[in-house]
Amino acid sequence: MNSILVIEDDNDIRELISEFLLTQDYKVMLASDGLEGFNIFQQNDEFNLIIMDVMMPNMDGFQLCQLIRKKSDVPIIMLTALEDDLDQIKGFELGVDDYITKPFSFQILIKRVEAVLRRNNQIKINNLSKLTYKNLLLNLQSFEAYDESELIDLTMKEFELLQILMENIGKVITREVMLDKLWGYNYYGDSRVIDTHIKNLRKKLKGDYIKTVKGLGYKIDE
C-alpha cells in the first residue's frame, strides 16, 4: 500500500484530501504546517509521495521541499493558490514533481497522484534493471554484460557471479556465500569452482575489476 504524507495548513482541505485518498486505498499521514511535516518526514522515511501546500506557517513549502531534497528523492506534489509562473518554476527547480493550483477537483488530484507514483515506480524498475561500475554494465533483463561498451560473452554462472560482486561494491564476498547464491545450500562440491569461474571472468573483462581477498573471497573495490 502506498503511503502519502499530506502537509496542508487549511484544516478543511487537509481532511478532505485525506478522506479522498483513504477511499482510494492509500495510507495517509497528516501535518498542519511545514515544520510539523518535516518532523514527520524525518521520523518516517518510507513515504511514497508527499503532497504539500506552499503558503504555510512556520515553514513554507519551498523551504520544506529544499530540506527534503537534501535527504530524499521522494516524489512531491505542490498544492498552491499561487498561479505565477515564477512560483511554479521555483518549485520545479527545487525538485517538485508536479504542481496543482487551487481550487482543484479531487478527480484531477488522484490522477496526478497516480501519474507521479507510476513514473516513480518506472524509474525504480529501470534503475533495478541494470548495474554499472566504471566501464562495466550489466543488463539484468537481457543478461548481457558490457565492458567499455563492448558486449562480453559470459556464461550464466559468470554473469551471476559478476552480478553478486557488483551488487556488493566494496564488500568481501566469501566463496561460501557465492556457492550458496549460485548453486544453493544443497551444493556439496569443491569451493574452488568459484576460483575457476573468477579466473575465466577476469580473462574476459578488459579492466582489473575483481580483487582477491586472501583467505576470504573476492570483491570489487569502491
Side-chain angles (χ1 to χ4, degrees), residues 143-174:
F143 298 102
E144 292 176 330
Y146 296 86
D147 193 356
E148 297 180 3
S149 300
E150 181 180 326
L151 181 63
I152 307 298
D153 184 20
L154 300 182
T155 66
M156 183 54 66
K157 290 301 182 188
E158 290 167 353
F159 183 94
E160 292 173 345
L161 186 56
L162 185 56
Q163 179 181 343
I164 292 169
L165 291 168
M166 289 179 66
E167 287 176 340
N168 295 277
I169 299 295
K171 297 179 182 178
V172 178
I173 310 300
T174 66

Side-chain angles (χ1 to χ4, degrees), residues 38 41 62-74 76 94-95:
F38 186 62
F41 165 76
F62 294 131
Q63 294 172 304
L64 177 56
C65 181
Q66 195 168 22
L67 287 175
I68 290 174
R69 279 292 172 259
K70 290 179 180 180
K71 297 176 174 290
S72 171
D73 59 357
V74 58
I76 296 173
L94 289 173

